[in-house]
Amino acid sequence: MSLLVVPPAVADTAPTSTAPNAKPVVVPALQQWEGGTGSFELRKHSRIVLAKKQVDELDDQGARLSAEIEQVTGHKLDVSPRIPQDGDIVLSIDPSLTDATGGARFAEEGYTFTVTDRNVTIAAPTAQGLYYGTRSLLQILLLDDGRDSVPVGTAVDWPNYKVRGFMLDVGRRFFTADYIRDYLRLMGWFKLNQLQLHLNDNGFKGSKPSWSQVQAGFRLKTGNPELAGLASADGSYDRADWDSFEDTAAANGVTIIPEIDAPAHSLAFIRFRPSLGLNNGESDHLDLSKPATTAFMKSVFDEFVPWFRGPDVHFGADEYTVDKPRYKVYFNEMAAHIRALGKQPRAWGSLSVMAANADGYDRDVTMNSWNNGWYGPQALKRDGYSFINTNDALLYIVPFAGYYHGHGLDGKYLYDQWEPHVFPGGQSVTPGDPQLLGAMSAVWNDLTEATYSELDVHGLVEPTFGVLAQKMWSGAKSGVPYSAFLGTVRKLGVGTGLTKVATTLATAASGEVSVGKEASASAGEAAAAFDGVRTTKWSSGPGDEAWLQVNLGKPFAISKVELDWAPSYGRDYEVQVSRDGENWTTVATRTGREAAGTDTLVFDPVTARHVRLVGTQAGAKRNGYALWSMRVFEVPDLALHQPTTASSSEVASLGPENATDGDPKTRWASAYRDGEWIQVDLGSPQTVQRVLLDWEAASGRDYDIQVSDDAATWKTVVPVRDKPAGARVDEITVAPVTARYVRMQGIKRTTGFGYSLWRFEVRSMSPEPDPA
């Protein structure tokens, strides 16, 4: 085995480019950018400077931004009211700022972002706009290789739509207060601005003999004895919880839209007051023929509206069909009552079912257009309502159900084809229609007896949160394909300051084998270096001597380690490998490193199950070592992004290139025949020692691994026979052979479908057997 000593990186001496800087990548994308040349660099004494005469107004944002920059970059910036100096970040609120293109949206939520080689200045007409500008700064720093650079240029940014929302049904499934607060922070990270909390609801009766067996929930708990017992025993929010929601929302640019839903979906109210329900309480519909029913609902709003700080309150009013004349009276009375309490009323659009027309209905109600049949956008426009696109066919998730996107929204469709003005069934409106306020996705917890958790719901929501934010803020201006956009969202994760919710999108880079693996260290939280999250880091504490190691779980043929150093970087260190975790061999060394950033250590391929970093001299002894990540890579996949062809494809979207594109969610599928093949051109003759086939359920039972020098004459190097049916990964060791082309030649299938592969990988080394 050869030992490779890697010298310190040499500064690039190539001529500096004079081309304007490209628009920095953030999610959602900036509306306007004029690039300059060069960059702003965080410096040892950089500060956050608050504009004169606004120190009190900006103090909270300045302190928070300082903490967030430290989490994202490792640099701790002081907050100062003094005159800006070189290296400072300047925050300013200027109500006189305007933008002709952004108009009212800029005036309410927009900002300017000006970068010179000396300073970054974020200015906005409002505190909310300034907050959004700080999100862009944090994202730019997080995505920068060194986490300390911002390209010179000027951005002007604002949202296309007033409402950029998310609705969560907590009535049928309780979500903890920590979860709600984290989601408010996550919304702010992506510049979403309205969280609608659906505070009461119930399950479906179905085949149950009585409504008494159906789940029902109301999630607000008051000390008022007249409403004692109304709150659900399995979870509710008291006034302190709600105040914490409102505080968190205000700090993250979000407005909470509380929803108390009646006269349908009202089993929780009927359980509390059975006399108010239809059929002597054997229903989840209120009996609107009784004056006491409306009086009770008004008393509920009287009790809780003083808790709510936002300007809007939602009174539900959907899917009630049993008493249409009285429904109109109830709708109008509740809308008027909410206005009398100082709030703007909202409701679910139901009028196409409830009435022949909207004559006599209160028009000063903001509607969620949730279903074209119940009340679609064209009918809402005709009747003069302001409305929000919450279309069920496009924007509903019912977790783990067989309907309404039970496994998450269609992110690619939303990214490629949707914007808030788009509705199905030919009901789309003109972009920017003045009655269309925006859009709101929704989670409905219909399956009240299912056993999923709130974190499972997060796993369904997170993959499209960034997509929805992009399409609501600046539409199609991201300018990159969906796969690239999703890659950015993965890197951005869930932002800063979260306590319960973590990203579910952290994935290994191509060839990376260390993400999520068991780790240990001489001190500090070792797992943070291997969790795939860019805002967590391992810190050793003071001193020169420290180590960090990862157990890959099984032997891999590895040839590269990447270290992403925080400001507490290592000056001298080694990378060592082991088969058994006890006997170690040094494969790479570094001496004299002088800065944070990414260090790539490449060495001769070696089989290892354990990899460790051993520090011998820290860059700053009192701080020790700190790493954002330590990534261990297999010997490279020779097939990655190489030209790939096949005998057939089931459809064009399932082409052979999908098997070698490095994306685990795309696949090749052949025609429904035995004998189909897929082959890759490695570009030049290479030593082939391992082939990996990641099969979809339509897999191969019998097939040959073949190689060729010219793609005409083929040699079988490994025959594979009698493989079981179903999805699986076949790792095939090949006696070392030199070839330019590698092929999977199918013989027999396991199913009546064709052959289908998620991945087709070719490598030049196979790991040796595990001694364990």
Side-chain angles (χ1 to χ4, degrees), residues 751-772:
T751 71
F753 298 98
Y755 302 83
S756 184
L757 286 170
W758 296 104
R759 291 182 292 157
F760 178 18
E761 298 179 356
V762 179
R763 299 186 192 271
S764 62
M765 182 180 178
S766 291
E768 301 164 25
D770 191 342

Side-chain angles (χ1 to χ4, degrees), residues 8-11 565-573 590-597 599 617-620:
V10 177
W565 289 106
S568 298
Y569 62 91
R571 183 183 184 279
D572 300 340
Y573 44 91
R590 171 75 79 205
T591 58
R593 184 172 179 84
E594 297 181 351
D599 190 10
Q617 184 171 338

Side-chain angles (χ1 to χ4, degrees), residues 627-661:
L627 277 174
W628 299 109
S629 65
M630 175 175 169
R631 297 172 173 239
V632 180
F633 291 85
E634 271 192 287
V635 170
D637 174 14
L638 303 174
L640 182 64
H641 302 311
Q642 294 296 108
T644 307
T645 54
S647 53
S648 66
S649 295
E650 180 184 343
V651 294
S653 62
L654 298 176
E657 67 279 359
N658 291 344
T660 55
D661 64 359

Side-chain angles (χ1 to χ4, degrees), residues 176-186 195 240-242 244-245 248-249 252 498-499:
T176 62
D178 285 340
Y179 187 98
I180 300 298
R181 287 188 288 265
D182 271 3
Y183 251 74
L184 289 163
R185 298 180 184 106
L186 176 55
L195 174 64
D241 290 326
W242 195 268
S244 77
F245 297 164
T248 306
N252 289 276
L498 277 66
T499 61

Side-chain angles (χ1 to χ4, degrees), residues 101-125:
T101 308
R105 299 273 55 77
F106 176 86
E108 292 182 15
E109 299 179 280
Y111 63 94
T112 62
F113 188 88
T114 305
V115 185
T116 68
D117 59 358
R118 299 177 59 187
N119 298 106
V120 173
T121 302
I122 305 172

